[in-house]
Amino acid sequence: MDPSLSIEKLKNVGPRNLSRLYNLGIKTLKDLLWHFPVRYEDYTQTLSISNIEPGQKVNVQGQIVQINSRRIFPRRMSVTNAIVQDSTGAVKVVWFNQPYIEETLPEGTFVSLAGKVNLDKHGLYLSSPAYEKIVNNESGAMKQESGIKDSQPTIHNSSLKHTSGLVPVYPETEGVTSKYLRFLIKPLLKTIKLNDPLPPAILQKYNLPQIDEAMKTIHYPLDPGQADLAKERFAFEDLLLFQLKALLERRKLNQLKSISIKFDQEFIKDFISKLPFELTKDQKIATLEILKDIEKSYPMNRLLEGDVGSGKTVVALIAAMQIAKAGFQTVFMVPTEVLANQHFKTVSSLAGQDLLRVGLLTSSACKLNGSDFKRSELKKEIADGGVDLIIGTHAVIQKDVSFKNLAMVVIDEQHRFGIQQRAALVKNSNPQILNDKQAPNSQIGNSQQIVPHLLSMTATPIPRTLALTIYGDLDISLIKEKPKNRQKIITKIVSPSKVKEAYRFVRDEVAKGRQAFVVCPRIEVSDPRKEIKVSGERSKMNILWADVKAVEEEYQKLSGSVFPELQVAMLHGKLKSKEKDEIMKKFKDGDFDILVSTSVIEVGVDVPNASIMMIESAERFGLAQLHQFRGRVGRSEHQSYCLLISSTSDKSVNQRLKALEECDDGFELAEKDMSIRGPGEFFGVKQSGIPDLGMASLANVDLIKKARLEARLLLKENPSLTSYPLLKDRLESFQKLTHFE
Ligand code: ADP
Ligand code: MG
């Protein structure tokens, strides 16, 4: 049977089950096979009835010697009682609400039962065990029939699939039980032939099972070790694909041309010595890495990771200075207007106008070197090379601007930015100039596109394993060390009963002249799978509206009954960006005491006078995100606080929050976050098409390293993978599935 066949073709899948299976994402036989068990029930030991003991989970096999069902009124229940006997003894069996079993397993039937042994005052009994018939066929071998009701099974295979050995338990959904899935999958394992995309030499080297073998043993292992090995094999395959993808992407980039910017040590040293602060060691290293990257004539692809407030902007600025010195342009793209304004200010104050002409371009602001400018004129300046560094929002820059000679793009707070997007930015640039200045090995024909160097900056610490895998094509610079003058933010979990005290604390701080942020609970989407199915825009709107509602309620509560004497403002995603900026500006100017908002404020806004970050229903956020919120305060000499209001008294939930009280290292928290919530949830790639198993393997450093090595070797030996057509095929479909941009 062809694995790409639709599951409709399976005899036992009727229309009702078809749509249920679709809900699990199972459309083809292949999907079905790749629906791996989450765990196994252990019925490896078939026990003699005389040997079973209370509390055990057992498999017993014997003959039904007595069976009857009766109804229990008034509770509308039915109970089926049976006695099963083998050569050593007999045991009672009880099933609830499955009266049909009386007919399925009439007296005299041989059965295999799997379940828990209980004890009551009448003795031992098996409670609602899984069951399957053992039938003698002509040749004397055993065969079974399953008790699936709505699909009338007629399968004939030679081993038990529900009650004996390690029995797979699958991710289930309404109407699709593990029992049903076993019933579909087990016979498939016999008939299907899979092509192994992994080269035999690699399988051999790591002692990994071949795909058919692994597929059988992942569903029906003889022992747990076999299951682990099968899992490892599939995980390895996913990781290898990740690595191949990353290396190929990297190779594609390295074949492109970028402007090589000479590193002028004297100039850079001089600039750094004039900064109002001393760079941290990590900042210096990152700066050097970037300056070396942009000396190359192929594009830099670097991620600069550093906690909030670790000072990433100045690092990017130094590179921009060097680029300006060489006569080229840089653009800083940021997600919000507020951030664009803030960067514009920081950068303008750190760099002298004589060295760097800085422009600001957002949907509402347009400035050059500190003075307002007409939009059309600023754009003309940019096109003519009258601006060295343009700071603005992605949207505006991507649609509005053509550059004279763009050499570097800096993206703040966005994970991915693809080759196409870079290329789009320079499509209006004048390549003539590049040819003149960029002579060295001048193969820069008109056909060769010049793309800018790329520096992405993020305050979201990405766990190392995840970075190695998903961002394998990026080079990474880390800023771990914080500037010396940074204070520790005091973090406290506030239990539901202590909320009043927290409010009192806020009031006291405000009385001292400080301000507070209040973040509203995240709106939980009940079923993410559904959410993604609703057409994208609409579902986004729904979430937005729910967010607005949460903010409004919180605002009403705080301004009305909690802090009637204070100035409270609110900020949410439904406001126009102009309105948002207005509110932020007023808050920054001290016109409001408290700003209630959604997670909008997550990205880097600077309000030095704010000393409190209060997060409602903090348990609904991930640790990494909470840490980001916290980074909004503590930006001045005032002692700052982060209050995590928990809406539950569940100890284990609050235990998770404790990590924040104790730790202020974003990387450590990110690792913790990932280990608690799993890479899928952490990274928000639930819908990315990466199989769960592949996701789990993102935390397996050892396996990642092996996959990385093998990916390198494979591409070295056979750069286009033509000798491995199956792997190549698999890679192509994988690339389609995993787009993080
Ligand atoms: P982030 O990494 O969150 O983007 P910023 O680049 O906005 O951080 O830096 C936060 C603030 O710290 C800015 O005002 C910046 O000028 C300042 N800063 C940067 N590096 C240092 C340093 N080494 N010592 C002191 N202050 C610094
Ligand atoms: Mg920043």
Side-chain angles (χ1 to χ4, degrees):
M1 251 194 284
D2 177 0
S4 64
L5 227 59
S6 161
I7 47 165
E8 262 175 290
K9 300 281 185 293
L10 285 181
K11 206 162 40 202
N12 296 308
V13 177
R16 200 151 55 115
N17 286 327
L18 190 68
S19 69
R20 288 168 171 172
L21 287 166
Y22 271 34
N23 283 339
L24 276 176
I26 300 175
K27 298 193 168 144
T28 62
L29 299 189
K30 182 162 187 278
D31 297 335
L32 188 61
L33 288 171
W34 261 263
H35 192 70
F36 294 150
V38 281
R39 63 185 177 85
Y40 307 88
E41 292 284 9
D42 186 355
Y43 298 120
T44 39
Q45 291 199 42
T46 300
L47 293 183
S48 302
I49 290 179
S50 63
N51 286 338
I52 61 175
E53 286 171 21
Q56 277 179 324
K57 276 193 161 179
V58 296
N59 169 239
V60 295
Q61 297 178 6
Q63 194 174 23
I64 304 261
V65 292
Q66 190 187 320
I67 187 160
N68 61 67
S69 290
R70 64 193 160 86
R71 292 189 160 278
I72 304 180
F73 294 103
R75 285 199 285 154
R76 292 178 166 187
M77 276 177 61
S78 83
V79 180
T80 305
N81 283 301
I83 308 268
V84 172
Q85 192 173 47
D86 68 4
S87 59
T88 67
V91 66
K92 199 169 91 170
V93 185
V94 184
W95 287 280
F96 298 97
N97 295 327
Q98 303 174 69
Y100 51 84
I101 291 179
E102 187 181 351
E103 279 164 46
T104 318
L105 305 176
E107 281 163 25
T109 316
F110 284 94
V111 286
S112 175
L113 300 172
K116 194 163 170 205
V117 183
N118 291 316
L119 179 67
D120 68 6
K121 58 180 191 282
H122 305 295
L124 294 178
Y125 67 99
L126 293 175
S127 158
S128 299
Y131 59 91
E132 55 198 316
K133 277 191 204 183
I134 306 172
V135 188
N136 274 330
N137 65 14
E138 302 91 56
S139 64
M142 301 283 216
K143 65 176 191 180
Q144 320 76 45
E145 282 174 21
S146 160
I148 302 290
K149 274 325 266 184
D150 77 340
S151 36
Q152 296 306 320
T154 48
I155 46 151
H156 307 277
N157 60 334
S158 61
S159 65
L160 296 164
K161 61 178 158 312
H162 299 294
T163 58
S164 175
L166 290 172
V167 175
V169 178
Y170 295 103
E172 301 180 346
T173 184
E174 220 182 295
V176 181
T177 58
S178 286
K179 191 169 183 180
Y180 179 57
L181 288 164
R182 288 197 283 267
F183 167 68
L184 294 179
I185 291 170
K186 184 134 191 197
L188 264 189
L189 294 172
K190 302 236 145 176
T191 53
I192 213 141
K193 177 86 193 80
L194 298 166
N195 293 318
D196 202 331
L198 291 181
I202 292 183
L203 293 175
Q204 232 167 38
K205 181 167 172 188
Y206 296 105
N207 259 326
L208 294 170
Q210 197 267 338
I211 194 163
D212 278 325
E213 171 70 13
M215 189 54 80
K216 275 178 196 137
T217 53
I218 201 166
H219 289 285
Y220 285 92
L222 291 179
D223 56 62
Q226 225 180 28
D228 289 345
L229 199 61
K231 276 184 202 151
E232 188 168 316
R233 186 235 170 272
F234 287 109
F236 180 84
E237 183 179 326
D238 284 344
L239 290 172
L240 184 73
L241 294 169
F242 264 122
Q243 298 299 341
L244 286 170
K245 179 181 152 176
L247 289 175
L248 288 172
E249 219 124 279
R250 184 79 225 192
R251 193 164 72 188
K252 211 168 8 168
L253 264 182
N254 288 359
Q255 284 162 355
L256 298 175
K257 287 279 159 206
S258 284
I259 298 162
S260 146
I261 303 292
K262 190 158 168 20
F263 176 17
D264 180 342
Q265 287 207 36
E266 284 312 308
F267 171 76
I268 294 294
K269 265 193 192 147
D270 184 53
F271 177 68
I272 289 177
S273 71
K274 287 184 182 137
L275 286 171
F277 44 73
E278 168 105 21
L279 290 182
T280 63
K281 194 164 146 257
D282 286 348
Q283 279 175 315
K284 284 184 194 155
I285 294 171
T287 304
L288 198 64
E289 285 170 335
I290 293 164
L291 290 172
K292 289 209 161 140
D293 277 359
I294 59 175
E295 269 199 306
K296 309 220 164 85
S297 56
Y298 56 85
M300 164 169 76
N301 199 32
R302 187 169 285 279
L303 178 71
L304 178 58
E305 262 191 279
D307 238 346
V308 176
S310 60
K312 297 182 288 292
T313 317
V314 68
V315 173
L317 171 64
I318 295 169
M321 300 289 299
Q322 181 71 83
I323 287 169
K325 176 97 194 314
F328 293 93
Q329 295 172 305
T330 299
V331 59
F332 270 24
M333 305 213 292
V334 299
T336 65
E337 297 210 5
V338 181
L339 265 177
N341 285 317
Q342 192 177 299
H343 276 46
F344 183 66
K345 269 196 196 141
T346 313
V347 163
S348 306
S349 75
L350 291 175
Q353 268 180 35
D354 47 331
L355 288 178
L356 194 74
R357 294 164 297 173
V358 189
L360 173 71
L361 190 64
T362 68
S363 61
S364 60
C366 217
K367 290 183 180 170
L368 181 58
N369 297 330
S371 17
D372 285 330
F373 235 71
K374 260 177 86 175
R375 178 165 295 259
S376 56
E377 281 172 27
L378 181 65
K379 278 162 57 179
K380 191 164 175 307
E381 286 291 334
I382 298 171
D384 292 346
V387 189
D388 302 310
L389 173 62
I390 300 91
I391 299 174
T393 42
H394 304 131
V396 172
I397 288 176
Q398 274 170 291
K399 80 167 192 289
D400 256 20
V401 185
S402 52
F403 297 89
K404 181 176 182 217
N405 54 15
L406 183 64
M408 178 170 77
V409 180
V410 180
I411 311 270
D412 199 12
E413 306 297 354
Q414 190 197 17
H415 287 173
R416 292 300 261 175
F417 193 71
I419 295 178
Q420 273 95 26
Q421 290 158 295
R422 296 189 206 205
L425 272 178
V426 281
K427 70 176 184 295
N428 299 322
S429 296
N430 182 352
Q432 199 47 53
I433 294 165
L434 305 178
N435 278 325
D436 297 345
K437 288 208 176 187
Q438 191 72 29
N441 42 14
S442 197
Q443 328 121 325
I444 308 173
N446 283 336
S447 60
Q448 176 93 51
Q449 189 151 32
I450 304 241
V451 299
H453 295 290
L454 176 67
L455 178 66
S456 325
M457 305 199 291
T458 178
T460 309
I462 299 156
R464 199 170 64 95
T465 51
L466 207 56
L468 268 179
T469 323
I470 294 183
Y471 293 146
D473 56 324
L474 288 180
D475 294 309
I476 298 182
S477 296
L478 290 184
I479 306 186
K480 284 198 154 199
E481 186 187 2
K482 285 195 191 140
K484 286 188 194 67
N485 55 4
R486 294 288 155 15
Q487 50 158 298
K488 192 166 157 74
I489 297 156
I490 297 173
T491 303
K492 284 271 177 264
I493 300 170
V494 180
S495 64
S497 61
K498 298 269 170 67
V499 174
K500 283 223 168 79
E501 282 171 43
Y503 291 151
R504 194 174 324 129
F505 186 75
V506 171
R507 202 172 282 121
D508 291 348
E509 279 289 298
V510 171
K512 286 191 221 158
R514 301 287 83 73
Q515 290 163 285
F517 286 107
V518 176
V519 176
C520 290
R522 189 176 85 160
I523 303 307
E524 297 193 324
V525 180
S526 54
D527 181 355
R529 229 191 302 253
K530 258 188 207 136
E531 202 55 48
I532 214 77
K533 267 190 218 139
V534 193
S535 84
E537 269 318 295
R538 216 183 126 184
S539 67
K540 238 191 251 161
M541 294 290 274
N542 288 342
I543 297 174
L544 262 182
W545 278 118
D547 261 346
V548 174
K549 191 158 160 282
V551 175
E552 274 171 353
E553 278 170 13
E554 188 71 22
Y555 171 78
Q556 294 300 346
K557 183 178 93 185
L558 295 182
S559 62
S561 56
V562 183
F563 303 116
E565 76 285 14
L566 302 182
Q567 299 298 317
V568 185
M570 68 172 160
L571 198 64
H572 55 68
K574 271 275 150 188
L575 295 170
K576 295 210 179 71
S577 56
K578 209 171 171 166
E579 297 170 304
K580 279 191 249 179
D581 280 4
E582 191 84 349
I583 293 169
M584 260 339 276
K585 188 174 172 302
K586 283 189 169 168
F587 186 56
K588 217 170 159 158
D589 293 345
D591 292 358
F592 305 120
D593 304 308
I594 294 173
L595 183 66
V596 183
S597 79
T598 55
S599 48
V600 179
I601 51 128
E602 190 185 344
V603 275
V605 183
D606 218 354
V607 183
N609 189 50
S611 69
I612 295 185
M613 169 56 65
M614 186 161 99
I615 300 150
E616 298 275 0
S617 301
E619 76 280 355
R620 293 200 199 160
F621 296 95
L623 295 180
Q625 201 182 4
L626 289 169
H627 179 67
Q628 300 262 310
F629 292 146
R630 177 165 64 180
R632 302 289 107 231
V633 295
R635 303 205 150 203
S636 64
E637 72 281 10
H638 310 298
Q639 175 60 55
S640 296
Y641 305 88
C642 176
L643 305 177
L644 304 168
I645 313 243
S646 161
S647 58
T648 164
S649 23
D650 184 330
K651 280 241 168 57
S652 66
V653 171
N654 293 328
Q655 196 58 38
R656 189 171 70 93
L657 293 178
K658 266 238 156 7
L660 279 157
E661 280 190 350
E662 286 152 13
C663 172
D664 68 348
D665 177 338
F667 289 91
E668 213 173 290
L669 286 168
E671 298 279 354
K672 262 197 190 131
D673 208 12
M674 187 168 91
S675 70
I676 294 170
R677 295 193 298 158
E681 182 88 3
F682 173 83
F683 198 59
V685 270
K686 275 223 149 121
Q687 284 85 27
S688 66
I690 305 170
D692 285 346
L693 198 67
M695 274 276 106
S697 63
L698 294 184
N700 185 342
V701 184
D702 233 32
L703 206 60
I704 292 171
K705 282 192 184 143
K706 287 179 193 163
R708 216 172 155 72
L709 173 69
E710 292 309 323
R712 283 220 185 90
L713 294 176
L714 274 172
L715 288 178
K716 198 165 155 204
E717 173 215 324
N718 186 212
S720 50
L721 292 179
T722 37
S723 329
Y724 304 100
L726 291 170
L727 184 61
K728 198 175 153 102
D729 264 10
R730 182 85 174 80
L731 182 63
E732 272 156 21
S733 47
F734 181 80
Q735 281 169 325
K736 278 192 211 125
L737 272 177
T738 50
H739 271 301
F740 296 109
E741 266 106 284

